[in-house]
Amino acid sequence: MGEASSSMSVTVDETQSGVRLDKALAALVPSLSRERLKALILEGHVANKRGLAMRDPSAKVAPGQTYCLTIPDAVPADAIAQDIPLSIAYEDAHLIVVDKPAGLVVHPAAGNLDGTLVNALLHHCAGQLSGIGGVARPGIVHRIDKDTSGLLVVAKSDAAHEGLAVQFKDHSITRRYLAIVRGHPRPTNGTVDTWIGRSDHDRKKMAVQREGRGKHAVTHYRTVETLKDAALVECRLETGRTHQVRVHMSHIGHPLIGDPVHGKAGRMKFGNGGHKQTFARQALHAAALGFIHPITKEKLDFESRLPADMQELLSQLRV
């Protein structure tokens, strides 16, 4: 009651004859996702021309029927906005591509309630977020680990969020990572095709499982440079599972240098003389990201240079 809102009227045409109400409205109101429209119907925000609320998303529509949609303004997100510097690779009214530094958590959670990428985006995008599921928040469609650096895309609108989510689900997104691993992979190029799920021994850890347990995961790797007891490897993700690169490279016997969970057997010292040290994080960088813009349909491709700490590690490991 008293909630700010906007309204619009739409009329069903011949192309939507006999389809579900939520599907018809999604075609007529492309700025809102089908899930958002389904929620509006269930909440009584869609009425017929007589003013009767239509509360069944599966109700069939007919040409010429008119519906009035009342769209409540997006409510503020629970997370607080914080002025945290961001490196922006691309931004428009629909989405933003961020080059995330290592050490920045993507989403608030227990133990990291603020100081995250979401907190930073709420400040950076103030007044630009049209509402994901009715909440003025950035649409996180994929994540990269706290201590992994590199590119990720975030939606600003409901429609962009849905369009990006579809591309991630059908694995049409281009994602290439650069990793520095222990040893020299043999063969130098290859594909790791397994199932990944929670470890039976440590529920906080992801691990390769037998077929049918967890989720199917495919990583294509190639050796970019051979180093001293190590290698720079490019990993192209066909799927995007939690910790996929870290789990797969460890699985084939070449864990990421600095990986505190999957790379204990691969920890190594680098440096000269009495100044040897261990790398402070997993040596992993999301170096390339490509996708079809969910609104304009333009093909977008982005690349990110290796951060300074990984460049320094490479220089120390070159033969």
Side-chain angles (χ1 to χ4, degrees):
M1 299 297 290
E3 186 180 50
S5 62
S6 59
S7 62
M8 67 174 70
S9 292
V10 293
T11 301
V12 176
D13 60 31
E14 296 289 343
T15 63
Q16 281 95 38
S17 179
V19 305
R20 289 172 51 111
L21 176 59
D22 56 355
K23 184 177 181 180
L25 292 179
L28 294 167
V29 190
S31 62
L32 296 175
S33 69
R34 184 169 169 181
E35 283 302 309
R36 177 67 175 133
L37 287 162
K38 183 177 180 179
L40 290 174
I41 294 167
L42 293 171
E43 293 164 5
H45 293 301
V46 176
N48 62 19
K49 63 182 179 181
R50 299 191 304 276
L52 180 66
M54 305 295 294
R55 294 181 178 271
D56 181 4
S58 65
K60 300 300 187 288
V61 301
Q65 290 179 328
T66 297
Y67 297 95
C68 179
L69 285 71
T70 302
I71 307 165
D73 283 353
V75 299
D78 290 336
I80 60 172
Q82 293 177 299
D83 188 2
I84 299 169
L86 290 174
S87 176
I88 307 299
Y90 175 85
E91 182 175 12
D92 63 19
H94 311 287
L95 56 85
I96 183 169
V97 177
V98 178
D99 198 340
K100 187 187 84 68
L104 182 64
V105 175
V106 171
H107 202 279
N112 290 286
L113 296 178
D114 60 6
T116 72
L117 177 63
V118 166
N119 298 110
L121 288 170
L122 284 170
H123 179 273
H124 178 83
C125 301
Q128 303 174 50
L129 300 172
S130 62
I132 311 297
V135 180
R137 57 189 169 96
I140 304 297
V141 286
H142 68 129
R143 304 183 189 188
I144 54 180
D145 298 333
K146 173 186 176 182
D147 289 324
T148 298
S149 54
L151 298 165
L152 77 162
V153 59
V154 180
K156 288 185 177 183
S157 68
D158 200 59
H161 185 261
E162 181 178 49
L164 288 169
V166 167
Q167 292 181 63
F168 276 95
K169 185 175 181 180
D170 65 20
H171 310 310
S172 61
I173 299 279
T174 298
R175 278 173 292 174
R176 288 188 287 111
Y177 285 75
L178 288 173
I180 304 175
V181 305
R182 178 67 184 266
H184 302 147
R186 292 289 183 269
T188 56
N189 299 359
T191 295
V192 188
D193 186 336
T194 73
W195 291 73
I196 290 178
R198 294 285 173 187
S199 168
D200 295 330
H201 308 292
D202 181 354
R203 300 302 294 173
K204 294 181 180 179
K205 179 180 178 179
M206 305 304 290
V208 167
Q209 300 283 6
R210 66 175 181 271
E211 184 173 346
R213 289 196 61 195
K215 295 181 178 179
H216 186 218
V218 181
T219 303
H220 305 283
Y221 73 88
R222 71 177 182 90
T223 300
V224 177
E225 183 179 356
T226 299
L227 307 163
K228 183 179 181 181
D229 299 323
L232 174 64
V233 175
E234 179 188 83
C235 295
R236 180 171 62 84
L237 301 191
E238 189 171 311
T239 57
R241 310 308 182 195
T242 302
H243 299 175
Q244 180 172 317
V245 172
R246 296 164 63 185
V247 171
H248 271 173
M249 294 313 294
S250 179
H251 178 66
I252 65 171
H254 300 283
L256 273 61
I257 291 175
D259 189 331
V261 177
H262 305 94
K264 291 179 180 178
R267 286 189 177 179
M268 59 188 296
K269 301 283 188 178
F270 69 94
N272 298 312
H275 303 291
K276 291 185 181 296
Q277 57 185 305
T278 54
F279 197 60
R281 65 177 178 100
Q282 65 259 10
L284 185 61
H285 179 66
L289 177 68
F291 55 90
I292 302 298
H293 194 293
I295 308 302
T296 69
K297 307 307 178 184
E298 178 186 1
K299 181 70 170 74
L300 299 176
D301 290 287
F302 305 95
E303 292 191 359
S304 170
R305 292 184 63 222
L306 274 181
D309 61 345
M310 286 184 66
Q311 290 189 40
E312 173 64 18
L313 177 58
L314 280 180
S315 70
Q316 296 284 354
L317 294 173
R318 286 192 168 110
V319 178

